[in-house]
Amino acid sequence: MANNDQTKPELRTRSSLKEIQGIPLLEPIVTNWDRVEKFKAFPEDLLIATYPKAGTTWTQEIVDLILNHGDADQARRAPTHVRMPFLEMTAPNPTLSGITQLEKMGPPRVIKTHLPIQLVPKTFWDAGCKIIYVARNAKDNVVSYFHFDRMNLVQPEPGPWPQYLHKFMKGQWWGSWYEHVKGYWRERENKPILYLFFEDMKKDPAKEIRRISEFLGQNTSDQLIDNIMQMTTFAAMRENPMANYSTIPETIFDRQASEFLRKGEVGDWKNHFSSQENKVFEEHYNTMMADVDIPFCFSV
Ligand code: A3P
């Protein structure tokens, strides 16, 4: 899987990594880190925080529809990353640069981040912003991340699956999955954090949409919850050009390698993990997660 052909365009665009407080991030993010640190949040801003590939885009779409009272046209006003910018992301294209976008927007803003809790700029806590955190079981999360790194030509080269799995266990770009999910979990009762699970959203989307709506202080009728649920199914979002990242150029997202909305399932890890990999992974997982009791679910 590793690509050593220097003429391939992906090798010219894939970023290297640099660290902030021991967390490996894409180099352009680290180069522009002072903009993240100096960012000013409004109290009305909402932060949607996830480890990459945990269901960020799905949650963003649900939130935008709740805040727009189910108005589908309004939710199709622009692609996801323009409606709800990605805080720490920096790119030559200004529409892909989170802070450049956010500085042009007034409150209330819905902001995406993959930062672990210790790197979330203090301004969000000082302003008392609400945060929605979405966690996904580690096995499906790593599978989804692997396919994403194959298609996202800005991310470092994923290499072959067995090595990729190993990298994930050690902690890779955006840091350790284990520390990420634990960090927000531990703070969820001290801070205004709604902690959600991808698997619950799959099992009972209406219930989770209602929880999000209540957290946002919105009075959403059962009928509207149902409409939002229909508009945010995997199939509906996959067809929606404003929610499926099809506006991102092929030089960045190689859709031949994988779709952004790839499968959207719980348990796809069973198609990727060998039984030996599963055994080693579980031993490591049990050690890493021994100090918390986060109710992850690996199949539905
Ligand atoms: P898969 O790669 O397993 O398909 P993120 O938005 O955090 O990058 O997460 C992307 C993952 O969420 C992808 O997982 C994607 O298919 C899934 N996803 C996005 N929208 C979804 C939806 N409406 N229903 C189910 N899964 C969804």
Side-chain angles (χ1 to χ4, degrees):
M1 182 79 61
N3 187 345
N4 295 317
D5 180 356
Q6 296 293 326
T7 63
K8 288 254 171 111
E10 58 262 40
L11 280 186
R12 293 202 298 273
T13 55
R14 284 189 183 274
S15 179
S16 54
L17 299 169
K18 276 197 168 176
E19 291 190 357
I20 294 280
Q21 294 176 34
I23 305 295
L25 297 169
L26 303 183
E27 192 176 354
I29 295 178
V30 176
T31 307
N32 289 289
W33 188 249
D34 63 320
R35 291 188 78 199
V36 177
E37 278 187 319
K38 286 187 198 137
F39 180 72
K40 286 266 170 298
F42 297 113
E44 305 87 345
D45 288 341
L46 171 75
L47 192 62
I48 298 179
T50 57
Y51 193 76
K53 312 319 290 174
T56 330
T57 317
W58 187 9
T59 310
Q60 285 175 286
E61 197 61 23
I62 291 171
V63 164
D64 199 32
L65 280 161
I66 292 173
L67 296 179
N68 286 291
H69 314 292
D71 184 335
D73 291 336
Q74 189 55 17
R76 284 180 182 242
R77 67 196 179 280
T80 310
H81 59 279
V82 175
R83 285 181 282 147
M84 294 162 279
F86 185 177
L87 178 70
E88 64 269 26
M89 185 49 72
T90 347
N93 176 344
T95 68
L96 296 174
S97 284
I99 292 180
T100 305
Q101 288 291 111
L102 288 163
E103 282 171 352
K104 294 188 220 142
M105 297 166 79
R109 301 170 296 186
V110 178
I111 305 171
K112 159 184 168 178
T113 186
H114 289 321
L115 294 175
I117 196 162
Q118 69 276 21
L119 293 186
V120 169
K122 199 169 156 288
T123 181
F124 286 98
W125 313 120
D126 293 346
C129 299
K130 289 181 183 174
I131 299 196
I132 296 179
Y133 185 78
V134 191
R136 186 177 192 182
N137 82 69
K139 295 181 189 176
D140 283 324
N141 205 141
V142 60
V143 167
S144 182
Y145 209 171
F146 174 64
H147 289 292
F148 182 63
D149 281 343
R150 290 175 53 243
M151 68 93 75
N152 183 343
L153 304 178
V154 172
Q155 301 265 111
E157 171 66 49
W161 162 253
Q163 282 87 324
Y164 189 86
L165 181 59
H166 190 67
K167 259 189 295 206
F168 178 89
M169 288 159 68
K170 279 199 332 209
Q172 56 174 34
W173 20 113
W174 270 285
S176 155
W177 175 91
Y178 308 92
E179 297 311 320
H180 209 285
V181 298
K182 288 198 258 186
Y184 285 91
W185 180 258
R186 290 194 177 112
E187 288 299 324
R188 76 196 189 287
E189 276 159 10
N190 309 322
K191 293 191 161 77
I193 297 175
L194 176 68
Y195 200 103
L196 302 174
F197 295 94
F198 181 97
E199 295 76 20
D200 289 343
M201 289 166 63
K202 285 292 288 187
K203 264 189 279 186
D204 193 344
K207 182 175 169 201
E208 298 311 299
I209 294 170
R210 175 159 301 292
R211 286 184 69 206
I212 296 173
S213 169
E214 284 170 2
F215 180 70
L216 298 178
Q218 299 288 316
N219 190 1
T220 312
S221 67
D222 289 346
Q223 180 61 53
L224 199 47
I225 298 272
D226 192 59
N227 292 349
I228 293 172
M229 188 174 81
Q230 302 304 334
M231 287 187 272
T232 55
T233 61
F234 179 81
M237 282 183 56
R238 201 174 161 146
E239 292 305 310
N240 177 354
M242 294 297 127
N244 66 11
Y245 281 106
S246 57
T247 59
I248 303 287
E250 287 281 336
T251 47
I252 300 179
F253 280 1
D254 175 6
R255 290 177 196 87
Q256 310 263 311
S258 176
E259 287 291 336
F260 185 91
L261 276 103
R262 191 184 56 90
K263 283 196 176 173
E265 288 172 1
V266 180
D268 186 40
W269 61 269
K270 293 174 193 161
N271 299 315
H272 291 76
F273 281 62
S274 70
S275 59
Q276 178 61 17
E277 282 168 347
N278 195 34
K279 185 169 173 287
V280 171
F281 188 88
E282 285 194 352
E283 272 169 21
H284 177 258
Y285 182 91
N286 291 339
T287 311
M288 295 300 287
M289 300 299 278
D291 55 347
V292 279
D293 192 13
I294 311 181
F296 278 107
C297 158
F298 292 86
S299 51
V300 287

